[in-house]
Amino acid sequence: MTLLDGKTTSNQIKDEITEAIAKRKAEGKKIPHLAAVLVGSDGASMTYVNSKVKSCERVGFRSTLVKLDASITEETLLNEIKKLNTDDDIDGFIVQLPLPKHIDDQKVIMAVHPDKDVDGFHPMNVGKMALNLPTFLSATPYGILELLERYKVETSGKHVVVIGRSHIVGEPMSILLAQKRRYGNATVTLTHSRTKNLKEITLQADMIVAALGIPEFLTGDMVKEGVVIIDVGITRVDDPSKPRGYRLAGDVHFESVSKKASYITPVPGGVGPMTIAMLLKNTLLACENKD
Ligand code: NAD
């Protein structure tokens, strides 16, 4: 069994980006500037945004954190987005999801200028992704493709089962892996909460991407020998033995599944760090697009 080490791989990618930035600096070109909008003070969202900002520092990007109160109106948030859209110094920005209930996520996603949409969530970029045209790929599926490529895990002709159909992970992942592309060309089954007999389907999978958000859902009896496992799930599970009072759990029961897997991503240290590295890659691309 080989561990698909997202931590080490993401550090390699960050080193490559750092080099690209040093080169841009030497050539007198613009340094990428990423902005992150955080609404409210949800613990997990704050952790994600902070690590995104920290990663910008690590590779030499400029970053701006826009912190807004949870009680902010939708209109005020849309105005903040307008400002970021028109600020020439900002190459790309993200609005950390989820947003408070009184704000319409979709309206916010639609408001981000597609050229600055480094999360790849705008319908224009989702459409380009679906047509296999160059665009910002949504960072989590992009990170998974990159991890597969760097470990040379063959996907062509394989049966991939994706569990979960969210717009940010499962759905784009199923589209990308089915596409005619290197580290695509798979036969993909997209499963979700209404899927019947999931175990019958997962037992046929050469590769499983688990993105449903239920800790340790996929167990050893649900997979075949030699399966490739990509665990996207990150859930905080209460654990009084930890100083923080919780541990991070994936959607895969690592102990039983890893015994049968040929490759598997750990949680933490698998897909999570790759997601951040790809956000940086998208930001660099947004900046290069303006050269
Ligand atoms: P989501 O929470 O929006 O949706 C969950 C999906 O799982 C739905 O499509 C639902 O139909 C499906 N589902 C629920 N129960 C199911 C069941 N019993 N059988 C089959 N399918 C079922 O999904 P999301 O936003 O993609 O998040 C999924 C998990 O991935 C969460 O733990 C989230 O924290 C994590 N996540 C991690 C990263 C990362 O960078 N590693 C990025 C995004 C999300």
Side-chain angles (χ1 to χ4, degrees):
M1 185 270 290
T2 303
L3 211 57
L4 295 169
D5 182 345
K7 201 170 173 200
T8 305
T9 309
S10 67
N11 275 324
Q12 283 163 2
I13 295 168
K14 286 179 189 168
D15 288 344
E16 290 160 17
I17 297 174
T18 308
E19 264 177 48
I21 296 308
K23 193 160 169 260
R24 286 185 71 82
K25 257 189 194 158
E27 289 168 355
K29 289 182 176 160
K30 186 180 182 305
I31 298 308
H33 187 171
L34 174 75
V37 181
L38 175 66
V39 183
S41 52
D42 172 70
S45 291
M46 285 198 326
T47 308
Y48 293 142
V49 167
N50 285 336
S51 54
K52 287 169 187 175
V53 169
K54 242 172 93 184
S55 298
C56 282
E57 284 166 22
R58 149 92 159 77
V59 298
F61 285 6
R62 295 181 53 216
S63 64
T64 297
L65 178 56
V66 182
K67 268 187 175 172
L68 302 167
D69 199 83
S71 64
I72 189 176
T73 64
E74 188 177 272
E75 196 190 349
T76 313
L77 176 58
L78 292 173
N79 275 331
E80 288 294 331
I81 291 173
K82 249 187 216 156
K83 278 191 225 160
L84 293 169
N85 280 338
T86 50
D87 183 340
D88 277 345
D89 198 60
I90 302 285
D91 300 295
F93 66 97
I94 59 150
V95 182
Q96 186 66 41
L97 301 177
L99 292 166
K101 290 223 162 25
H102 65 280
I103 298 177
D104 181 349
D105 285 14
Q106 204 51 43
K107 244 190 197 167
V108 169
I109 288 168
M110 296 281 278
V112 177
H113 193 290
D115 292 348
K116 295 193 178 191
D117 170 41
V118 286
D119 257 340
F121 293 165
H122 190 284
M124 171 100 86
N125 291 323
V126 176
K128 285 184 178 173
M129 179 276 295
L131 294 171
N132 204 355
L133 297 171
T135 186
F136 302 117
L137 295 182
S138 172
T140 303
Y142 188 14
I144 293 168
L145 289 182
E146 189 79 19
L147 202 53
L148 294 172
E149 183 172 346
R150 295 202 180 218
Y151 277 86
K152 298 190 170 54
V153 179
E154 193 51 75
T155 54
S156 180
K158 305 287 183 190
H159 181 202
V160 179
V161 173
V162 178
I163 312 176
R165 57 178 163 188
S166 73
H167 292 326
I168 60 166
V169 187
E171 205 174 61
M173 190 74 269
S174 67
I175 294 171
L176 290 163
L177 283 168
Q179 277 174 350
K180 193 171 181 179
R181 58 162 68 232
R182 190 78 189 96
Y183 299 95
N185 292 316
T187 304
V188 180
T189 304
L190 179 59
T191 67
H192 45 77
S193 53
R194 304 285 177 93
T195 298
K196 293 203 172 94
N197 305 326
L198 182 66
K199 184 176 168 181
E200 273 176 31
I201 301 168
T202 55
L203 275 169
Q204 295 171 35
D206 300 311
M207 182 187 299
I208 298 173
V209 180
L212 69 161
I214 303 179
E216 295 167 354
F217 174 87
L218 189 79
T219 45
D221 59 316
M222 296 172 79
V223 305
K224 70 176 183 187
E225 282 294 335
V227 69
V228 176
I229 299 289
I230 306 293
D231 188 354
V232 183
I234 310 176
T235 309
R236 290 182 175 193
V237 176
D238 288 343
D239 185 344
S241 74
K242 301 273 181 221
R244 293 179 298 192
Y246 66 86
R247 67 183 172 91
L248 294 179
D251 288 345
V252 174
H253 185 261
F254 189 88
E255 201 196 321
S256 57
V257 173
S258 61
K259 287 193 179 117
K260 287 173 136 181
S262 54
Y263 293 91
I264 186 166
T265 59
V267 176
V271 175
M274 290 301 292
T275 298
I276 296 186
M278 303 327 273
L279 173 68
L280 298 174
K281 263 197 136 170
N282 278 342
T283 307
L284 176 58
L285 176 66
C287 187
E288 287 171 346
N289 284 344
K290 299 199 308 201
D291 282 351

